[in-house]
Amino acid sequence: MPLMQPVENGKIVETESQNSLKNKANTKNGMDKEAFLQLLVAQMRYQDPLEPTSNTEYISQYAQFSQVEQMQNMAGTMELQRAASLVGQEVYIKTTTSTGDTKYVFGRVDYVVYENGKAYLSIEEQLYSLDDLDTVVDKTYQAAYDKAYSFTVKLNKLPVVSGVDLTDAKAIEELREIYEGMSDYEKGFLAKDTVDRYNKYVERIKKVYAAAGLDEHGNKIEDAGDADNENGSTEGAEEP
């Protein structure tokens, strides 16, 4: 748990982790074994002494109690196994703030804590209830998504296509390098409109290069005469 708390307007602000723990601590899971046992004791205490509950009924109720306990133990074991399988995975946790707003926390599950029959996931040393788990993210998927997002952000920083000049060449070349290095799977995360805009920028910068006497990648084009002179000089220098 954190040693320092965020403060706003002189009041301590609860974190998403604290809200997650508090909300689940205050949530009743229906009829648990403790409640079942209390009902059984109350029934024995307040039964009609003239018509007491038979031993057979008590045995039947005890059997029901044992079944409830076994089912809860089994559910707890399954929950712990499920939580343990998430260690090392990247997940989204859906939390609710004290004001009722919904927030998502993304991170890697470092370890699992199991207390009072409940499993909690540790993300960056903050505990979240397993019940707040929203999405388990595949690392390949997340990497492709992040790359597509970064590509789109860089693209949006460019001026309008008609205003592109040589000062934008470096940024466009970086985008070309990223896009050409993407796999088909990664390109699938780019919106069609984004790809169309990217292609327009590439065509525009090629025209700018051509007007400046450069090739399509912005490199200086060697003069054909100079190339012939270089070849001639080389040939002349060779011995027959």
Side-chain angles (χ1 to χ4, degrees):
M1 301 299 292
L3 296 178
M4 294 184 293
Q5 293 286 106
V7 177
E8 184 176 326
N9 297 327
K11 296 182 179 180
I12 295 177
V13 180
E14 291 186 338
T15 64
E16 289 85 355
S17 172
Q18 290 170 323
N19 278 304
S20 173
L21 299 180
K22 184 176 71 174
N23 290 339
K24 296 311 169 187
N26 294 333
T27 300
K28 298 297 183 182
N29 293 322
M31 177 67 72
D32 57 13
K33 62 182 181 181
E34 287 78 11
F36 189 92
L37 184 58
Q38 289 176 3
L39 288 175
L40 182 60
V41 172
Q43 180 183 0
M44 294 174 63
R45 180 180 298 175
Y46 300 108
Q47 66 180 329
D48 187 349
L50 300 178
E51 296 181 3
T53 305
S54 67
N55 292 336
T56 303
E57 291 184 22
Y58 280 129
I59 293 174
S60 176
Q61 292 177 354
Y62 180 77
Q64 293 178 17
F65 169 76
S66 299
Q67 290 178 353
V68 170
E69 185 175 28
Q70 290 176 3
M71 291 176 64
Q72 285 191 324
N73 291 339
M74 183 180 298
T77 301
M78 293 178 64
E79 183 176 66
L80 180 58
Q81 290 176 345
R82 179 190 174 204
S85 68
L86 296 172
V87 175
Q89 299 288 327
E90 293 180 330
V91 300
Y92 278 99
I93 301 293
K94 183 179 180 180
T95 64
T96 303
T97 65
S98 56
T99 59
D101 297 327
T102 298
K103 285 190 176 182
Y104 289 88
V105 177
F106 174 76
R108 179 179 180 272
V109 179
D110 297 317
Y111 57 87
V112 172
V113 175
Y114 194 71
E115 294 180 353
N116 299 322
K118 299 295 296 181
Y120 300 93
L121 308 177
S122 174
I123 300 174
E124 296 182 358
E125 295 304 318
Q126 299 290 326
L127 294 179
Y128 300 90
S129 171
L130 179 62
D131 294 336
D132 288 336
L133 176 66
D134 183 80
T135 307
V136 180
V137 184
D138 177 73
K139 291 183 179 180
T140 303
Y141 173 94
Q142 188 64 39
Y145 175 87
D146 290 342
K147 183 177 288 188
Y149 178 81
S150 176
F151 180 90
T152 303
V153 170
K154 290 179 181 294
L155 185 68
N156 291 337
K157 291 182 179 180
L158 292 174
V160 295
V161 176
S162 59
V164 168
D165 55 30
L166 286 176
T167 60
D168 304 303
K170 181 178 179 181
I172 295 177
E173 288 301 330
E174 288 178 354
L175 284 173
R176 290 179 71 178
E177 183 177 356
I178 295 174
Y179 184 79
E180 292 173 0
M182 283 182 167
S183 64
D184 291 339
Y185 175 75
E186 292 171 335
K187 290 179 181 178
F189 284 78
L190 295 172
K192 183 179 183 300
D193 176 66
T194 300
V195 177
D196 291 341
R197 287 174 52 219
Y198 160 74
N199 288 327
K200 289 179 181 178
Y201 279 108
V202 172
E203 293 303 317
R204 171 64 181 176
I205 199 64
K206 287 181 179 179
K207 293 179 180 179
V208 172
Y209 285 155
L214 306 174
D215 65 14
E216 63 178 14
H217 292 286
N219 299 316
K220 183 178 180 181
I221 300 176
E222 293 184 356
D223 183 75
D226 293 340
D228 291 341
N229 290 336
E230 289 181 2
N231 291 336
S233 301
T234 303
E235 291 175 0
E238 293 180 354
E239 295 182 0

